Amino acid sequence: MNRQRPKFPKKRGVVGVIVRDQRLLTIRRSLTVPAPGKLCLPGGTIEKGETEEFALVREMREELTIDVSPIRLCWRSVTPWGTTLAWWLASVDADVIPVANPDEVAEFHWLTSREIRKMRNMLPSLPEFITAIESGKIELEVSF
C-alpha cells in the first residue's frame, strides 16, 4: 500500500505597507495571537478564495479599523516557517486615525526605518523589508 502524506497548501499572507509623512504604520501584536508581542507591519492570512487585495482590505479593517485602498504589490517574501507574504503598498486618508483591535494588536506606531531598526522583538520579515527599502529594491514613492 502506498501511503503518501497529504499535501497541504502553503500558507499565504498579506502585509499592509502604509506610509504617512515618510513613516511606516507598524503594530505590536497582541499577546493572544501567534508571535505574541512581536513588532511588524499589519496584515494576516489570505483566506481561501480571497485575492491579495481583498485580504489586505479585510485585515486592515480587522486589526486597525481603517479602510485602505490597495495601490500595488511592492515585494514578496517567504517567512522562515514557509508562509509566502505579499507586501502591498496601500493608502489611507490622511485624517484617519487607526484604532487597534485589542484581540489582535496591542499598539500601533508610525515609525521611520531608522526608528524601526532600533526596536526590539520584531518578526524577522520586518528588518528584511527595511533592508530592501534602504537598498533600493523596494520603491515606496506613490504618484497619483
Side-chain angles (χ1 to χ4, degrees), residues 6-141:
K7 291 189 177 186
F8 296 101
K10 295 281 186 192
K11 193 170 182 182
R12 298 178 341 154
V14 66
V15 179
V17 180
I18 302 165
V19 182
R20 183 181 283 173
D21 299 324
Q22 301 191 0
R23 295 175 182 272
L24 286 165
L25 179 58
T26 58
I27 65 166
R28 179 79 58 194
R29 298 166 68 90
S30 78
L31 298 179
T32 60
V33 297
K38 297 284 188 186
L39 185 76
C40 59
L41 299 189
T45 301
I46 300 172
E47 296 176 2
K48 186 177 179 180
E50 284 185 330
T51 63
E52 292 173 356
E53 297 94 322
F54 186 89
L56 172 70
V57 170
R58 178 184 51 74
E59 285 290 344
M60 297 308 103
R61 283 182 185 150
E62 286 177 9
E63 290 187 359
L64 296 164
T65 62
I66 58 175
D67 288 318
V68 301
S69 298
I71 297 172
R72 64 178 164 80
L73 178 70
C74 62
W75 198 44
R76 287 197 188 277
S77 67
V78 179
T79 66
W81 48 92
T83 299
T84 300
L85 297 176
W87 299 67
W88 274 82
L89 185 61
S91 65
V92 63
D93 288 341
D95 60 342
V96 169
I97 299 171
V99 176
N101 172 353
D103 292 335
E104 298 193 24
V105 176
E107 58 190 19
F108 71 88
H109 305 276
W110 293 96
L111 300 173
T112 65
S113 60
R114 179 173 286 176
E115 291 168 329
I116 291 170
R117 289 238 180 250
K118 292 178 182 177
M119 302 296 279
R120 295 179 181 260
N121 197 23
M122 61 183 103
L123 287 178
S125 57
L126 184 53
E128 292 170 7
F129 181 71
I130 297 302
T131 297
I133 292 170
E134 292 172 346
S135 68
K137 291 179 183 174
I138 299 172
E139 178 61 50
L140 294 183
E141 292 297 317

